[in-house]
Amino acid sequence: MKPRAKYVGLSRATFAVFSKELRVEFRSFELLTSTIVFALVVVFVFSFAFNPSAADSRRFGAGFLWIALLFASSLMLQPSFTRERTNDTIAALVLAPVDPFAIIAGKLFANFFFLVLVEVILLPAFSVLYDVPLLGVIGPLAGVMLLGTFGIATVGTVFAAIASQARMRELLLPLLLLPALVPLLIASVGATVGLLAEPSDLPRTSMVVLVCFDVVFFTATWLFGGFLLEE
């Protein structure tokens, strides 16, 4: 009689998938490097095309910043599951004695970590190009960025899993991602505009929307994430 495989706990399995994603990316830095360069180019092109004044930068710079992050995230999230489908390793992950949500969660946290690294490079460049000092609001701004980025990573990872099963997956992911992120982007831009204004102010409504968006979508992913890995 063949012994049954030992079931691995959720946190341990999630960390294993998360570590695997980091090892794969840090061997080449291809995806991370291309995403950082892409985001910097978008921010630079906007600053060059509009040549905003100090007042315009405080009003419109937040929108340009989040547009750059949105475009960069669509590039970053695309390979999350396509490389697993290409090498047929997704079947091995599904057959592993772990909660299917651990696979989604591991990739979600890895995507979140990569996007945060992109922001660490992007924010100083944004501050210089748009002449917007960020040191005075770096704490609240970091909170807004983390909440917005976690929402993007959550929704993007789910839709990346869905799009990976389609033929036109490169086109399908942005079509699914952009409409779903509209409430998050509106709240993120509103909160960032408030922080960059003089005097700075953090809109409570925008923060409530960000927190509720993250909680709702992460809970939905936890409840139904296992179905995303089915063929």
Side-chain angles (χ1 to χ4, degrees):
M1 183 177 179
K2 184 181 296 185
R4 295 179 60 185
K6 184 179 180 181
Y7 190 84
V8 181
L10 177 61
S11 59
R12 183 178 176 185
T14 300
F15 182 75
V17 176
F18 173 79
S19 301
K20 188 268 295 183
E21 293 293 312
L22 264 60
R23 287 196 301 269
V24 170
E25 178 57 32
F26 289 158
R27 286 172 184 169
S28 62
F29 287 93
E30 291 180 0
L31 184 61
L32 190 58
T33 302
S34 60
T35 304
I36 291 174
V37 171
F38 182 79
L40 291 175
V41 168
V42 171
V43 171
F44 175 77
V45 168
F46 281 148
S47 68
F48 181 78
F50 291 94
N51 192 22
S53 63
D56 291 337
S57 295
R58 295 183 179 277
R59 283 191 298 168
F60 305 122
F64 297 151
L65 176 63
W66 282 100
I67 288 175
L69 288 174
L70 178 63
F71 290 163
S73 64
S74 63
L75 179 64
M76 171 71 71
L77 296 167
Q78 182 69 52
S80 295
F81 288 90
T82 54
R83 55 191 175 196
E84 307 287 1
R85 299 283 179 183
T86 302
N87 298 324
D88 204 25
T89 55
I90 190 67
L93 289 174
V94 172
L95 291 174
V98 298
D99 189 330
F101 174 68
I103 303 173
I104 303 292
K107 291 181 174 291
L108 189 159
F109 289 121
N111 290 329
F112 173 71
F113 178 77
F114 292 143
L115 288 175
V116 169
L117 291 182
V118 173
E119 293 169 3
V120 170
I121 305 297
L122 183 61
L123 283 177
F126 169 80
S127 179
V128 172
L129 290 172
Y130 289 82
D131 193 22
V132 178
L134 301 179
L135 290 178
V137 294
I138 192 62
L141 181 61
V144 172
M145 300 298 293
L146 290 176
L147 287 173
T149 304
F150 186 77
I152 293 175
T154 302
V155 177
T157 302
V158 169
F159 285 149
I162 297 173
S164 67
Q165 306 181 43
R167 291 184 178 180
M168 301 180 65
R169 57 182 65 93
E170 293 81 6
L171 178 63
L172 183 59
L173 179 59
L175 291 178
L176 293 173
L177 189 62
L178 298 182
L181 290 178
V182 167
L184 177 75
L185 293 174
I186 293 175
S188 299
V189 171
T192 308
V193 169
L195 289 175
L196 298 183
E198 288 187 345
S200 64
D201 178 52
L202 184 59
R204 181 176 298 178
T205 303
S206 297
M207 295 301 294
V208 171
V209 172
L210 285 174
V211 172
C212 292
F213 187 95
D214 289 355
V215 170
V216 168
F217 275 88
F218 185 77
T219 303
T221 304
W222 173 49
L223 294 175
F224 306 107
F227 298 102
L228 299 175
L229 302 178
E230 297 180 358
E231 295 291 343

